[in-house]
Amino acid sequence: PRAALLCSVSVYTAYAGDWARSSVPMQVQQVGPHTYYVQGVLDEATRQNQGFIANAGFVVTGDGVVVFDTLGSPALGEQLIAEIRKRTREPIKLVILSHFHADHFYGIPAFKAVGAQVWANSGIREYLHSDAARERLAERKALIGPWLGKAFTLPTVDVWLDSDVDFQMGQLHFRLRHVGPAHTPEDTALLVVEDGVLYSGDVVYAGRVPFIGDADTRSWLKAIDKVLALQPKVMVPGHGPVSRDPVRDATLTRDYITFLRAQMGQAARDFVPFDEAYAKVDWSKFAAEPTFDVANRNNAYNVYLQMEQELLGK
């Protein structure tokens, strides 16, 4: 379906919330005639990086700005707004969320304060009221509380989407696609048609191993195919540098997930305990990737459990 875009008009100054101002470097990169992104550090969230570990993008349409993801705190969101303002005075009309992990959507309050409307896939509505969401919020408050602000609560969404949407703003056309379940049930990608630029969210990671968590890795491999089927010229991943060869640069994510499923699947079939199986695997192909040391063991364990469930037909 095509969506008529009716968004409130944004004001031009960021709201002075009760959060500390962000002080991390944030460099905007232009990746198409109308499209831009900022790149978080290839690391886990720390107090030192103030939670700036994910990417976010924006599109200047001539009739307003479309933003893809809001980063990991209102302070980072406000900093991104300041960078947008250096490039255009067009109102920031629309925010689209790729998924509900803290590093991608905690910046919403800064964008709502300037009048933006927030869209997200409805597949994760229940998450905002879950124990997992509350636990992650408590963890982030302990870690980067000053940049969240004392009054911070889980941000809300204005429009829940149950299907793919094509829409136009200014002279640009957008294709919004639900490509999950993969990294999360609600994984969403956005193609800027005229620029050939795709914001893929965390369906594709560049330059680091993915965070698996409770992801559906079997469907994740299919989601990568869905993303590539949009035939982008340029792909902005959820983490890592921009790709100008999306097919090639999706290989790390695909190969890593495939390898995990093969190794842990064989161990599950042979009834080999996880610790023993993990110790036997040659991880050298991926060991040099950023975040391998902090993420790989948990990733492998989660896939081991998933492969057990698949073998049981669940």
Side-chain angles (χ1 to χ4, degrees):
R2 294 191 175 274
L5 198 58
L6 301 174
C7 300
S8 56
V9 176
S10 306
V11 296
Y12 291 138
T13 56
Y15 170 69
D18 70 340
W19 50 79
R21 302 286 81 78
S22 175
S23 59
V24 295
M26 183 179 289
Q27 182 178 355
V28 174
Q29 300 181 52
Q30 186 167 4
V31 293
H34 312 88
T35 43
Y36 304 79
Y37 91 110
V38 296
Q39 181 180 323
V41 297
L42 293 172
D43 200 353
E44 297 302 295
T46 65
R47 196 170 184 86
Q48 288 69 37
N49 62 41
Q50 298 175 16
F52 183 32
I53 62 171
N55 299 346
F58 62 93
V59 186
V60 181
T61 72
D63 188 40
V65 179
V66 176
V67 176
F68 189 81
D69 282 345
T70 65
L71 303 176
S73 71
L76 288 170
E78 185 179 66
Q79 188 175 1
L80 178 56
I81 290 169
E83 292 297 331
I84 294 171
R85 285 287 158 258
K86 294 177 183 178
R87 289 154 182 85
T88 181
R89 303 302 289 178
E90 293 177 21
I92 300 173
K93 289 187 173 181
L94 177 63
V95 169
I96 293 170
L97 299 180
S98 65
H99 66 293
F100 283 84
H101 282 166
D103 49 336
H104 295 267
F105 85 101
Y106 277 18
I108 286 176
F111 287 90
K112 284 205 166 190
V114 297
Q117 190 179 77
V118 181
W119 291 6
N121 182 268
S122 62
I124 200 65
R125 292 180 74 165
E126 294 180 4
Y127 170 80
L128 294 175
H129 307 286
S130 69
D131 290 339
R134 287 187 286 271
E135 290 167 4
R136 175 60 71 184
L137 176 58
E139 179 266 336
R140 281 295 198 267
K141 282 187 173 181
L143 188 66
I144 59 167
W147 298 281
L148 296 177
K150 294 179 180 179
F152 184 82
T153 58
L154 288 176
T156 57
V157 170
D158 299 305
V159 177
W160 292 104
L161 302 174
D162 295 314
S163 62
D164 296 339
V165 174
D166 294 339
F167 67 92
Q168 180 177 352
M169 187 185 292
Q171 298 304 307
L172 299 183
H173 296 81
F174 296 83
R175 295 175 184 165
L176 184 61
R177 296 293 180 263
H178 175 227
V179 295
H183 178 68
T184 65
E186 73 277 10
D187 285 311
T188 297
L190 179 69
L191 179 69
V192 187
V193 175
E194 283 77 6
D195 286 13
V197 173
L198 178 77
Y199 296 101
S200 73
D202 281 7
V203 172
V204 177
Y205 283 62
R208 58 164 286 181
V209 298
F211 168 72
I212 300 295
D214 59 357
D216 181 342
T217 54
R218 181 165 50 186
S219 295
W220 195 334
L221 295 173
K222 298 175 184 177
I224 294 173
D225 292 334
K226 291 179 184 178
V227 164
L228 295 178
L230 292 167
Q231 299 183 314
K233 298 175 185 176
V234 178
M235 181 172 62
V236 178
H239 298 264
V242 65
S243 168
R244 299 189 183 278
D245 188 342
V247 173
R248 180 197 67 197
D249 292 333
T251 299
L252 172 61
T253 302
R254 188 195 302 275
D255 285 357
Y256 179 71
I257 294 171
T258 301
F259 185 78
L260 280 179
R261 287 180 57 83
Q263 297 297 320
M264 296 300 103
Q266 188 62 54
R269 282 190 293 272
D270 294 343
F271 300 100
V272 178
F274 171 73
D275 288 340
E276 180 182 340
Y278 187 85
K280 288 180 177 179
V281 175
D282 178 3
W283 297 106
S284 58
K285 181 177 180 180
F286 306 102
E289 298 294 338
T291 71
F292 175 88
D293 289 340
V294 296
N296 189 65
R297 187 179 181 88
N298 285 339
N299 284 347
Y301 182 65
N302 289 334
V303 173
Y304 181 87
L305 296 178
Q306 185 174 128
M307 299 309 295
E308 285 186 324
Q309 294 297 308
E310 287 185 21
L311 289 170
L312 293 171
K314 297 182 179 180

